[in-house]
Amino acid sequence: MSAVRVGFGVLGPVTAWDGAGGVIDVKGPRHRAVLARLIVARRRVVPVSHLVADLWEDDPPEGAVGAVRTFVAALRRALEPDRPPRTAPRLLVTEGPGYALRPAPDAVDAWRFEQAVTAALPPEEVAERLEEALGWWRGPAYADFADQAWARAERSRLAELRLRAVERQAEARLATGLAAEAVPDLDAHVAEHPWREDAWRLLALALYRTGRQGDALAVLRRARALLVEHLGVDPGPRLRALEADILRHAPHLDPAPDTAGSVWAQAAAAYDRSVPSGARARLESTMSLMRDLAVTGGAGLVAARRHRVAAIAAAEELGDVELTARVIGSYDVPAIWTRSDDPAQAAQVVAAAGGALAAFPPTAPEATRARLLATIALESRSGVPVVGGGAAERRTGVLGSRGDTGRSEGAPAGVTDRGTRGAEAARQAEEIARRLDDPALLAFALNGVFMQSFHRTGLAGRRDEIGAELVALSARHGMDTYEVLGHLIRLQARCALGDFAGADRHAAAAEGLAERHERPLVGVFTGWYRALRLDAAGHATPDEAETAYRDAAARLDGAGMPGLERGLLPLAVLCMRVRRGLPVDASWLDDRRRRPPHRTTGETDWGPYEPWVRPLLLAAGGHPEEAAAALREVPDPPGDLLMEAMWCLVARAAVAIGDREAMRRARDALAPAAGELAGAGSGLLSLGPVSDHLAALQDPG
């Protein structure tokens, strides 16, 4: 199901690279032309008749169709040398009347370049990213096919994009106070492309900002002379306005002062001078910083998680329980995904919070205690055990009590039942927050309540209520991050309930807040939702739906959310195919062990979803006995946003091989969700109405 990891270069002579960066021999010029023509098509099917017409523009020889098929066969051998005989190709595929090349979204240098040029990034990141992207060019695009009609439009488009990239890079440098660095590149740019008025404008502005007013005016006069003498046109309004502004030293031409950066630097320096390096206040200040850093996504989120654990450990070493509790509870970062990015680290946080609760003095503030409880509820998500249940914890009534140990039967010592303990922590945190009438604390507690609302299927309506309260509460009290969270929760819930119009409204609201308050991670979730929306609408072809999911998955790269990323793309594509009644691709099966290959092989990585996917793919691959064995071993899915989807995959496998016990398990688990769309509660993918899967199960008797 996943694309083979081969890279393609068209920003210069057309070439291909293997996973190690070595050049792949794609044979002669006709082979290269077929490859280039398929890349131009951007994953769409090119009929064989079109390939023939493009390769032989004048008079195709007899047997041209056969020659094209020979070229394609040779390309397949070169691009997928390890593909077993008689297995379907996964990169250069046959569809309908022709062929399509299906590389990963980032596998073609031109596609990556386009993403780099159009990405919405801060100016300081734009300049660096475009510097790298412009370095990918090895000559004119599709250099070896300059005279081919089929390549002409794409060559022109990419050439224009390259020019725009140079100008956008200059704009970013000007915006970040690097006018002097912009001048040499712009000078060369206008010399080579003298008809680009925006390039002249940027060069003049860069010269002016480096104190060279005379040179800036000379550049504008040179531009006017070229335009008038060679094109017979006067400069446009932006060039004329810039000349007038330079002559009168208009204030807006000067770069805006970096007020925020200056204030930050001065405040940080004052803090360093005023607060001793060993002061306990630094730990609490650090946690406030980590909380703000986490919502920036990417490296910021990863760093925040790492430093959070270090700060908790430092607080514990000081032996001050209340300080430790404040450090733990101050990290109230909203969470929407129910699978932990780092389960081991989450378990550490839960253990630390449980220890602080056990030692919490009766006189300590209730709000601090509630924050510890909310932390336990939030971090005790799918796959994370709650550690605790000791005597001191039971004496203080922390999380209530379950018999003598607080553990589920058969659980290891010190590990309690995640669902019961996490839900009880959420309940107590919410109760305290409402009693104290503390809006920020209540929002934190409600996030924990949401995270613990997966003890059975069919609870989308309850989560919609939680999201609605978060939206209203946050809007009243100016808590933008929790308002975003509320909209994302409601987006998920409305998807599960089949209300895509409502989900659209919450997606738009979340994106508006994210843009206003600089919350880049929101776009990851709404981007995935739009792929689901396209798929669920029923108008997109399977290829178009898969492409939308792949584009959404590309946004996860560097987002710092491995708990969301791993296995999600193949799962989304599998669910799309199952829902549409299309054949299931079982090609990931290893003939020797019937286990999924590892990511390092370039094959499909199902991540944490493998146990529930495996029986269905074994059944689809013609291995009913192994599918039956896998069904006997498959555990109940974890309580998370994809629980209904996992049960539906189990149900489909059980129906396929007639496993009545597995059918009964799936039917009983799915019955409460009969009115929902399976998997759509994630806002990321869907297996269609749960009722359809229940109907397929029937009554196993």
Side-chain angles (χ1 to χ4, degrees), residues 126 180 283 331 358 404 417 429:
V126 167
L283 279 176
Y331 191 85
D404 294 329
D417 177 21

Side-chain angles (χ1 to χ4, degrees), residues 79-332:
L79 298 176
E80 298 184 61
D82 299 326
R83 179 167 58 89
R86 294 182 298 280
T87 59
R90 302 166 65 194
L91 184 55
L92 204 172
V93 302
T94 302
E95 279 192 16
Y99 303 104
L101 190 71
R102 297 284 164 72
D106 60 346
V108 179
D109 57 3
W111 301 356
R112 293 200 313 276
F113 183 76
E114 186 170 359
Q115 290 172 356
V117 176
T118 58
L121 295 171
E124 58 272 15
E125 294 182 36
V126 167
E128 183 177 350
R129 185 166 184 180
L130 290 181
E131 181 76 25
E132 177 188 10
L134 286 164
W136 299 336
W137 286 75
R138 298 167 287 112
Y142 295 91
D144 28 8
F145 301 103
D147 57 349
Q148 300 297 312
W150 53 265
R152 195 168 298 131
E154 183 67 359
R155 280 170 48 84
S156 298
R157 189 184 74 84
L158 289 171
E160 173 61 27
L161 201 63
R162 185 182 190 180
L163 299 179
R164 179 68 191 114
V166 173
E167 291 160 12
R168 191 177 179 211
Q169 182 187 44
E171 289 173 343
R173 286 172 170 168
L174 287 170
T176 53
L178 300 175
E181 290 187 19
V183 170
D185 287 345
L186 283 170
D187 209 4
H189 185 58
V190 297
E192 191 172 352
H193 308 282
W195 320 127
R196 297 185 70 84
E197 290 194 34
D198 215 35
W200 288 105
R201 180 186 64 81
L202 290 167
L203 176 58
L205 182 57
L207 289 167
Y208 179 79
R209 287 188 177 175
T210 55
R212 299 165 61 182
Q213 178 183 345
D215 289 338
L217 290 170
V219 159
L220 291 172
R221 288 162 188 156
R222 197 162 93 235
R224 177 188 292 110
L226 280 167
L227 292 169
V228 171
E229 292 175 15
H230 293 276
L231 296 182
V233 297
D234 289 325
R238 298 185 77 187
L239 279 182
R240 297 197 303 271
L242 178 59
E243 183 173 15
D245 287 342
I246 288 175
L247 288 169
R248 64 185 181 87
H249 297 282
H252 73 266
L253 294 184
D254 295 320
D258 185 11
T259 305
S262 175
V263 169
W264 173 272
Q266 292 176 40
Y271 189 92
D272 275 340
R273 289 192 304 270
S274 306
V275 182
S277 59
R280 299 183 179 197
R282 284 192 174 239
L283 279 176
E284 294 186 72
S285 299
T286 298
M287 291 307 292
S288 296
L289 179 60
M290 292 306 102
R291 181 180 57 200
D292 293 337
L293 184 61
V295 297
T296 65
L301 178 56
V302 173
R305 282 199 298 263
R306 182 176 68 252
H307 293 306
R308 177 193 187 189
V309 173
I312 292 172
E316 288 179 319
E317 287 177 6
L318 293 172
D320 185 333
V321 173
E322 290 193 50
L323 172 65
T324 301
R326 290 197 301 272
V327 167
I328 294 171
S330 63
Y331 191 85
D332 54 352

